[in-house]
Amino acid sequence: MNATTESAVIQSALNQAAAHHLSNAHLDALEEETIFILREVAASFERPALLFSGGKDSLVMLKCAEKAFGIGRIPYPLLMIDTGHNFPEVTAFRDQRAAELQAKLIVRSVEDSMARGTVRLSRPDEPRNAHQSVTLLEAIEEFRFDALMGGARRDEEKARAKERIFSHRDSFGQWQPKAQRPELWTLFNTRLAPGEHFRVFPISNWTELDVWQYIEREQIALPSLYYSHPRQVVERNGLLMPVTDLTPPRADETVQTLPVRFRTLGDVTCTCPVASEAGTAADIIVETLSANVSERGATRMDDQTSEASMEKRKKEGYF
């Protein structure tokens, strides 16, 4: 494909998106698969939980759970591991959505792990994102969860692309990429030995574009940070770092106020926005069609330490 042809293809896709001619059949198939997996977990495990951060992927998963079981009938609790450095708009939205669905919300904090001495920071301002693994494993032991559903998708990042939909964890909560179980058609192996558990990824086959198309189709409400808004930022390591009390500008950095939005939301200390004027889900669909950098590659400072950083964290028990 030459440059002229590629430009024509992208423009055609953009025109289709702008005209809302996106395929509902494709979204119907993804939704059906996700609902099947959510029900399969409810039927196969004794103590499952749904990881819920208040972000767009977990809100899509929650919408499918609402369709699978109905408001007030979701048969597992929602679990969030809070670093203490989350955006307040997101935690407020998390609480509001859980209350609307009459779902049980469990929050466990990295700060509690720090108080117990199971998490020790090398310096006071060290990002806490990676330390969520410890708090998560402690929550699994506390509640004896045997399946945790997460909103990770294969297109987000290389290590997540290696995960099975039903991804086995050993009795130490660790992931062994070379010891994964085969998944043929919709035949999932859910057998566990004592102390083991599964991480289950019901929207693993969705792409970022699918998620935004579904958000638009289902009119799913999101935290306002996902849409364009003016924000003070500095350029750092090729990304736009938001200026906050936790991430102040350095002496050699220039503070700018730009229209930005977040493609993903996580710990304030490592989550970066992208320059954007997209104010609606339809606008973001058009932007996503022309994006050439993965979601996490464009927004997560912690994933840039090395190409293997996410896989290393997942082996240690990360989401």
Side-chain angles (χ1 to χ4, degrees), residues 230-252:
R231 178 173 288 270
Q232 286 191 323
V233 297
V234 296
E235 291 188 20
R236 187 178 300 171
N237 300 333
L239 299 177
L240 296 177
M241 173 64 73
V243 175
T244 69
D245 292 341
L246 297 168
T247 53
R250 295 170 180 166
D252 61 342

Side-chain angles (χ1 to χ4, degrees), residues 71-115:
I71 294 176
R73 300 178 61 188
I74 296 175
Y76 21 70
L78 313 182
L79 171 66
M80 182 186 185
I81 305 301
D82 194 334
T83 64
H85 289 168
N86 292 92
F87 291 95
E89 296 95 329
V90 178
T91 52
F93 195 89
R94 171 203 68 190
D95 296 343
Q96 173 193 327
R97 193 72 187 110
E100 289 170 350
L101 290 173
Q102 302 169 38
K104 180 181 179 181
L105 174 64
I106 299 171
V107 179
R108 288 296 178 268
S109 170
V110 172
E111 292 183 341
D112 289 338
S113 298
M114 292 165 59

Side-chain angles (χ1 to χ4, degrees), residues 9 22 37 55 69 78 105 111 124 134-135 148 154 158 165 168 183 186 197 207 222 232 237 261 264 304 308-309 317:
V9 169
L22 298 166
I37 294 167
F69 304 107
L78 313 182
L105 174 64
E111 292 183 341
V134 175
T135 310
L148 290 173
R154 289 193 169 113
K158 294 177 181 176
I165 291 177
H168 174 261
E183 286 184 342
T186 54
H197 72 275
T207 66
L222 299 180
Q232 286 191 323
N237 300 333
R261 69 175 179 88
T264 181
Q304 296 197 333
S309 58

Side-chain angles (χ1 to χ4, degrees), residues 8-294:
V9 169
I10 291 174
Q11 189 57 52
S12 174
L14 293 174
N15 291 339
Q16 286 183 10
H20 303 283
H21 288 165
L22 298 166
S23 169
N24 273 328
H26 179 55
L27 292 182
D28 289 343
L30 289 171
E31 179 189 72
E32 182 180 348
E33 179 187 62
T34 298
I35 288 175
F36 171 79
I37 294 167
L38 291 167
R39 288 174 172 164
E40 183 76 1
V41 170
S44 302
F45 296 93
E46 294 183 10
R47 291 174 297 278
L50 190 150
L51 293 166
F52 179 59
S53 65
K56 69 181 189 308
D57 298 312
S58 58
L59 283 163
V60 163
M61 202 163 55
L62 203 55
K63 181 66 179 180
C64 291
E66 180 186 343
K67 289 193 175 188
F69 304 107
I71 294 176
R73 300 178 61 188
I74 296 175
Y76 21 70
L78 313 182
L79 171 66
M80 182 186 185
I81 305 301
D82 194 334
T83 64
H85 289 168
N86 292 92
F87 291 95
E89 296 95 329
V90 178
T91 52
F93 195 89
R94 171 203 68 190
D95 296 343
Q96 173 193 327
R97 193 72 187 110
E100 289 170 350
L101 290 173
Q102 302 169 38
K104 180 181 179 181
L105 174 64
I106 299 171
V107 179
R108 288 296 178 268
S109 170
V110 172
E111 292 183 341
D112 289 338
S113 298
M114 292 165 59
R116 286 191 290 271
T118 51
V119 168
R120 296 181 181 179
L121 304 183
S122 58
R123 60 180 196 279
D125 63 344
E126 179 187 352
R128 300 175 181 178
N129 202 39
H131 294 296
Q132 291 179 95
S133 304
V134 175
T135 310
L136 176 61
L137 293 176
E138 289 174 345
I140 291 170
E141 183 177 359
E142 177 185 355
F143 293 97
R144 296 189 298 133
F145 291 128
D146 52 5
L148 290 173
M149 289 163 281
R153 309 186 320 269
R154 289 193 169 113
D155 76 325
E156 283 184 86
E157 190 275 335
K158 294 177 181 176
R160 289 185 163 167
K162 295 181 181 179
E163 289 264 26
R164 297 287 193 265
I165 291 177
F166 280 65
S167 194
H168 174 261
R169 295 296 191 271
D170 64 21
S171 57
F172 297 100
Q174 296 178 330
W175 178 50
Q176 305 295 339
K178 294 182 179 178
Q180 297 193 93
R181 297 170 177 177
E183 286 184 342
L184 304 176
W185 305 286
T186 54
L187 300 175
F188 302 115
N189 185 338
T190 60
R191 294 182 180 177
L192 285 175
E196 297 176 343
H197 72 275
F198 272 96
R199 303 290 173 88
V200 183
F201 304 105
I203 64 168
S204 182
N205 289 330
W206 297 49
T207 66
E208 182 182 11
L209 179 60
D210 297 327
V211 166
W212 279 108
Q213 288 181 244
Y214 191 72
I215 287 168
E216 188 201 28
R217 188 182 84 169
E218 301 294 325
Q219 295 295 293
I220 298 175
L222 299 180
S224 60
L225 298 179
Y226 278 114
Y227 300 107
S228 181
H229 58 284
R231 178 173 288 270
Q232 286 191 323
V233 297
V234 296
E235 291 188 20
R236 187 178 300 171
N237 300 333
L239 299 177
L240 296 177
M241 173 64 73
V243 175
T244 69
D245 292 341
L246 297 168
T247 53
R250 295 170 180 166
D252 61 342
E253 292 175 333
T254 301
V255 177
Q256 310 173 69
T257 300
L258 297 177
V260 298
R261 69 175 179 88
F262 288 85
R263 288 176 68 179
T264 181
L265 289 172
D267 192 274
V268 172
T269 61
C270 61
T271 305
C272 300
V274 294
S276 171
E277 296 191 357
T280 66
D283 293 339
I284 294 173
I285 289 170
V286 174
E287 270 194 2
T288 305
L289 280 165
S290 58
N292 54 15
V293 179
S294 72

